[in-house]
Amino acid sequence: VIPERLEVYRYKLALLEHVRVGHDTRTSHPGLLVCVVDEHGRRGWGDIAPLMGYSSETLPEAEDVLKATWPRLLGLRLPDDGTCIQAVQLALAAAPASVRFGFETALAGIAAQAQDVPLYRLWQGTAPSTLPIAGLLQGPLESVVPEALRLKETGFVAVKLKVGAATPAEDAARVREVSLALGPSVELRLDANRAWSLADAVRFGELVQGVPLAFIEEPVAQPLDIPEFHGKSGLNVALDETLGEGPFEDWIQLAGIAAVVIKPTVLGGIVAAGRVAEAARRTGLRIIVSSAYESGVGLMALGHIAAALGTEGTAAGLGTYRWIDGDVVSPKPPLDQPMWRLDRLSMQQFRVDRGMMLDV
Ligand SMILES: [Mg+2]
């Protein structure tokens, strides 16, 4: 594979309802699509969509770096298998996470065409081609309970509910109602996005005693409070934001950690995500590959990465598509479904809708 040409497009997707990201509310998510064309005319697509409040780079910064990075990739002779992304690490060394993710995805997409396999098979020859997805629930009690019932009826085996925007008592009441709606057959996960002090988080933990919960992501503002939270509440904790701050090898050893939520767009692409997944696997943690409101281009790639890196049988955290209005590809891929067929989710099966986009 020799990258010979680059196309870049700008897009902006509206979010269906006001989506909370950390402490802020978002109504849209802008991003860039890159298309790398190799010497045989094969096209590989990547999505570069840093999420404000999560990513350390802004979109304009990502755009500047992607233009500066392309000359380092241009003309490189790369392996036409899964190692092509290792081969570009030096060229991508100065690039922020979202840019790495976009370029790695584009190049891996070309290698998958060269090998004539679905993307995930570049790295994982034995994983099944179906991937269970966790539904994503957010919003007030009146809307989350009917939505929880809908997700259950649609066949979701896991659901994640966002908490932390209300008081611990109000959130605990929502959690109880959603748990009752889902019943024992659907795994319930929570995500507090660091909203609580240790005292509030412990209070919440007391109020949800007896509710079957898989884990709660980032319950406290200070990650060093996690062991005490776990000790007092008994709840298992998953790391998300914390993985991007300092040495993840140390964070995953904290008492109470049961899972890692890996966002390749935020953590630095496929190779960086693979390093976190490998360390988590050695520590016996569940691995949940997760999205950050990317377009269908990024989300499809994340499905393949989840199959390659995730804990088999664990629903991937890719339930963000239902919160996005429209897409940059058509026909609209079935990414709001509870089970993805990865062999049907390659960019060759979709058209990029250029009417949605501006050339850069
Ligand atoms: Mg999270």
Side-chain angles (χ1 to χ4, degrees), residues 88-164:
V88 293
Q89 290 307 299
L90 194 59
L92 296 179
S98 61
V99 176
R100 287 180 186 227
F101 173 66
F103 274 127
E104 288 179 358
T105 303
L107 294 168
I110 296 176
Q113 290 170 59
Q115 299 282 331
D116 197 22
V117 293
L119 188 56
Y120 74 95
R121 289 212 184 265
L122 284 180
W123 306 292
Q124 172 50 273
T126 58
S129 66
T130 52
L131 180 73
I133 304 295
L136 177 60
L137 273 180
Q138 47 195 334
L141 185 66
E142 316 83 79
S143 65
V144 290
V145 169
E147 179 65 2
L149 288 168
R150 188 191 70 81
L151 290 171
K152 179 188 177 178
E153 279 158 20
T154 316
F156 282 87
V157 294
V159 164
K160 176 166 109 173
L161 173 65
K162 290 275 194 177
V163 293

Side-chain angles (χ1 to χ4, degrees), residues 178-193:
V178 167
S179 174
L180 282 174
L182 293 175
S185 62
V186 180
E187 178 183 288
L188 179 56
R189 310 167 176 178
L190 305 178
D191 188 356
N193 290 111

Side-chain angles (χ1 to χ4, degrees), residues 54 160 162 191 193 217 240-241 263:
Y54 244 102
K160 176 166 109 173
K162 290 275 194 177
D191 188 356
N193 290 111
E217 277 176 51
D240 178 359
E241 288 92 328
K263 291 187 167 75

Side-chain angles (χ1 to χ4, degrees), residues 5-12 31-35 43 45 63 66-67 328 352-360:
R5 198 156 56 79
L6 179 70
E7 298 167 10
V8 185
Y9 306 92
R10 243 185 231 125
Y11 70 85
K12 188 177 196 175
L32 298 162
L33 288 189
V34 288
C35 179
R43 301 163 71 79
W45 289 91
E63 188 174 330
L66 102 79
K67 287 172 183 163
V328 294
V352 170
D353 185 354
R354 301 200 186 205
M356 296 269 314
M357 291 182 294
L358 297 167
D359 290 330
V360 169

